[in-house]
């Protein structure tokens, strides 16, 4: 299986369990690895035979900006399901970064990584 990766998609969302997170929002960063067979697209040099990663990026940003959820686990699942709606995408790895998580000690990042497939 081939891989198409998008790294560092940024969007402001209002996800979290604390009222402040819901009210003020924060930046979330998303990395994706889409698993698909790119041979038909390469052979024909045809965008319609692969995943349009620009469209995927816009959809993922819309999910992050969309309906708030409590957990980044839920957000990651919604992103994965959106990616799998694209014909040809057989698998997706989603990493959601929450660099401004409400943690009381110094830290660099909080992430959740999930892998989902059609099977």
């Amino acid at each position: 299986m081939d891989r198409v990766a998008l790294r560092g998609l940024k969007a402001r969302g209002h996800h979290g369990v604390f009222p402040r997170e819901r009210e003020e929002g924060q930046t979330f960063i998303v990395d994706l690895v889409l698993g698909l067979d790119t041979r038909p697209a390469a052979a024909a040099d045809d965008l319609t035979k692969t995943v349009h990663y620009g469209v995927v990026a816009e959809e993922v940003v819309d999910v992050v900006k969309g309906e708030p959820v409590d957990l980044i686990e839920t957000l990651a699942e919604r992103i994965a399901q959106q990616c799998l709606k694209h014909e040809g995408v057989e698998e997706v790895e989603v990493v959601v970064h929450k660099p401004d998580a409400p943690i009381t000690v110094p830290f660099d990042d909080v992430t959740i990584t999930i892998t989902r497939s059609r099977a």
Side-chain angles (χ1 to χ4, degrees):
M1 192 170 311
D2 304 319
R3 304 272 183 239
V4 174
L6 290 90
R7 307 246 187 245
L9 298 172
K10 294 180 185 174
R12 190 160 187 86
H14 293 265
H15 311 289
V17 296
F18 298 112
R20 182 174 171 203
E21 293 178 292
R22 292 294 183 106
E23 292 164 11
E24 296 177 15
Q26 60 193 294
T27 299
F28 293 84
I29 303 165
V30 178
D31 302 324
L32 300 173
V33 179
L34 307 170
L36 64 154
D37 183 357
T38 63
R39 289 176 292 192
D45 197 27
D46 185 351
L47 177 62
T48 65
K49 297 183 184 302
T50 189
V51 64
H52 191 310
Y53 52 79
V55 170
V56 171
E58 291 171 358
E59 292 172 352
V60 168
V61 165
D62 286 345
V63 171
V64 175
K65 289 180 174 180
E67 181 184 348
V69 296
D70 288 343
L71 303 177
I72 59 173
E73 291 86 343
T74 307
L75 181 59
E77 184 67 34
R78 287 184 177 180
I79 291 168
Q81 294 309 314
Q82 181 61 46
C83 292
L84 289 170
K85 289 180 182 178
H86 288 268
E87 187 177 340
V89 176
E90 295 296 324
E91 183 178 272
V92 62
E93 179 183 274
V94 177
V95 181
V96 175
H97 301 257
K98 189 175 179 180
D100 299 320
I103 297 175
T104 60
V105 297
F107 74 102
D108 289 329
D109 199 4
V110 172
T111 66
I112 177 75
T113 302
I114 66 170
T115 302
R116 299 293 182 265
S117 64
R118 291 184 185 276

